[in-house]
Amino acid sequence: MSDSAAPRPYRSYVYAYPHKTAYRPLPDPAPSLAALWRDEPKDALSLYAHIPFCEVRCGFCNLFTRIGAPDELTTRYLDALDRQAAAVREALGDRAPVRFATAAFGGGTPTFLTAGELERLCDIAEKRMGVDLRAVPLSVETSPATATADRLALLAERGATRLSIGVQSFVEAEARAAVRPQRRADVESALGRIRDTGVPVLNIDLIYGIDGQTEESWRSSLDAALAWRPEELYLYPLYVRPLTGLGRISPAADREWDEQRLRLYRYGRDHLRAQGYEQVSMRMFRRTDAAPLGPDDYACQTDGMIGLGCGARSYTSALHYSFDYAVDMREIRTIIDAYTETADFSRAEVGRWVDAGEARRRHLLQSLLQAEGMPVAGYEERFGASPFTDFPAELARFEALGWLDEGAPAGLLRLSPEGLAHSDGLGPELFSPSVRAAMAAYEPK
């Protein structure tokens, strides 16, 4: 463990463990997908399709995505996605029933694709992978500029249950400061088109910590979002990330910025709760009268994930695997081009093995970062030991920092409100030494 001082509250957004910067090329011969999936449960799989294209690259973004798609690149990308899906479905086999319980299209911006290309994407999910999109929750990410009526209508008709739109800020000056230029009128029009589809869950993403943002301007964005009565809201802290636009032009995050983000987070949390939203995680808030109809923070980390596309992860119980990872635009273009030229998708090329110790860390981490907490009995049933025995130093430190909820019901390990507020500082404290070493050795590209 690190020293006794509390870790900084915004160290890293823990959206998956182990992080892709801990992945490495797998030894030759690379493991076959058929062998990896042979003995895995396949009756409740999750499908994630990654579309690595955007119309503009936001200053805060380090997603695996590129701007534009020249020379029919989207067609070639979907061709490769089709080949990959066919190889993956063959690898899953038919010895045991293969069923998908959830599906999601992310990116990038999936709605960068035309309506016709989105239809082909849905066909790949259904006809190649066997996902009944109209029978399972289907979440799709979009943006104000690409949420056109024809695209949205196609997604609604094919079974989308959740549309997530990255607004970030309704204040035009703040959007410009985040290198996300957009007119509020265009944002409102896009939200209107989404509501017109009748898709049951609207999620709006907002960002706090933008240069010049105040409690007043933050409330303005929150209230503008609340006017649409979204079923879900995600509140993201702004990060300065290596090789991104703001990473080059902004000063390093310091204690004052940490305090600003914490202050805005608490303000947003309290405001949403007062408006009838329950907190699901540090980032996610759900309207109390809305039924969950899409993958949430927890679901996207579960085993049994099939990722299609060059930026998608796949998870078996023993191996997390993907393709090469980059942030720099030139490197991303190279990886996307290589993906479109790939003929054989039958093996896992880049990844990280997950042993029993890492599985315990991952279970604790992904459970503890949910507002509802983790039943200790469930952990003990799965691993045959107590989390307090497996992670005595970490949990003792969290308790000393006031990050564990002393008033939680017996048998429930749950974060306090301040522990939840410090999720991005707490999460990395649970990373194993080997994962930390691998992440530290990774050279951003």
Side-chain angles (χ1 to χ4, degrees), residues 127-370:
K127 297 176 181 178
R128 290 291 191 211
M129 296 302 301
V131 185
D132 187 348
L133 294 178
R134 294 181 180 86
V136 303
L138 170 60
S139 177
V140 185
E141 296 174 14
T142 188
S143 69
T146 62
T148 59
D150 60 337
R151 292 175 170 105
L152 297 174
L154 181 280
L155 291 170
E157 193 277 327
R158 294 303 295 262
T161 56
R162 179 180 183 269
L163 292 171
S164 178
I165 183 168
V167 172
Q168 319 315 350
S169 178
F170 284 85
V171 179
E172 293 182 11
E174 290 181 1
R176 288 193 300 272
V179 198
R180 174 66 181 269
Q182 61 190 15
R183 296 193 316 127
R184 176 166 175 174
D186 295 335
V187 173
E188 300 281 359
S189 295
L191 288 165
R193 289 191 294 273
I194 291 173
R195 278 306 196 200
D196 287 344
T197 66
V199 169
V201 175
L202 163 64
N203 173 72
I204 298 176
D205 289 345
L206 297 176
I207 284 181
Y208 56 92
I210 299 171
D211 188 33
Q213 192 175 46
T214 64
E215 284 92 336
E216 183 179 7
S217 65
W218 179 223
R219 172 151 185 173
S220 176
S221 276
L222 291 167
D223 286 342
L226 288 169
W228 290 96
R229 295 282 292 154
E231 284 70 27
E232 295 175 3
L233 276 159
Y234 272 74
L235 307 185
Y236 288 96
L238 179 65
Y239 274 96
V240 172
R241 292 169 168 176
L243 304 182
T244 66
L246 290 178
R248 288 192 295 268
I249 64 175
S250 296
D254 55 17
R255 185 171 299 277
E256 183 179 345
W257 193 34
D258 286 344
E259 287 304 318
Q260 180 211 18
R261 286 180 288 178
L262 276 172
R263 185 170 63 252
L264 293 172
Y265 159 79
R266 293 177 181 126
Y267 186 97
R269 173 198 65 193
D270 295 347
H271 190 56
L272 292 186
R273 292 178 66 179
Q275 296 298 316
Y277 286 76
E278 63 175 333
Q279 187 167 17
V280 178
S281 69
M282 172 187 167
R283 287 167 174 75
M284 183 182 182
F285 295 80
R286 180 180 291 134
R287 216 176 69 206
T288 53
D289 61 346
L293 288 174
D296 58 22
D297 288 345
Y298 186 90
C300 73
Q301 294 212 45
T302 54
D303 297 334
M305 169 74 77
I306 300 288
L308 299 180
C310 59
R313 299 170 177 81
S314 295
Y315 303 144
T316 71
S317 59
L319 179 71
H320 293 188
Y321 62 94
S322 183
F323 297 91
D324 202 5
Y325 175 70
V327 174
D328 181 78
M329 287 294 292
R330 290 167 297 182
E331 297 285 349
I332 289 173
R333 289 170 184 157
T334 299
I335 293 171
I336 292 174
D337 288 342
Y339 174 82
T340 64
E341 296 166 3
T342 299
D344 182 5
F345 287 102
S346 65
R347 295 183 178 274
E349 303 289 345
V350 177
R352 186 171 185 87
W353 295 100
V354 179
D355 61 20
E358 294 290 16
R360 293 177 187 226
R361 287 183 180 277
R362 185 165 177 263
H363 182 96
L364 176 63
L365 190 153
Q366 69 182 19
S367 301
L368 197 57
L369 294 185
Q370 300 299 299

Side-chain angles (χ1 to χ4, degrees), residues 69-83:
D71 304 321
E72 299 184 338
L73 180 57
T74 54
T75 298
R76 289 186 281 120
Y77 187 83
L78 289 171
D79 289 345
L81 202 74
D82 197 5
R83 294 194 299 274

Side-chain angles (χ1 to χ4, degrees), residues 356-396:
E358 294 290 16
R360 293 177 187 226
R361 287 183 180 277
R362 185 165 177 263
H363 182 96
L364 176 63
L365 190 153
Q366 69 182 19
S367 301
L368 197 57
L369 294 185
Q370 300 299 299
E372 66 183 7
M374 184 189 78
V376 174
Y379 181 98
E380 293 174 340
E381 181 179 355
R382 179 176 178 183
F383 299 111
S386 165
F388 296 97
T389 301
D390 287 341
F391 302 98
E394 291 91 336
L395 293 177

Side-chain angles (χ1 to χ4, degrees), residues 37 40-47 89 92-94 96-103 125 129-132 135-137 303-306:
W37 287 98
E40 294 289 311
K42 295 185 278 283
D43 59 340
L45 298 170
S46 298
L47 177 72
R89 184 60 189 84
L92 292 176
D94 294 308
V98 176
R99 174 184 172 272
F100 286 86
T102 66
M129 296 302 301
V131 185
D132 187 348
V136 303
D303 297 334
M305 169 74 77
I306 300 288

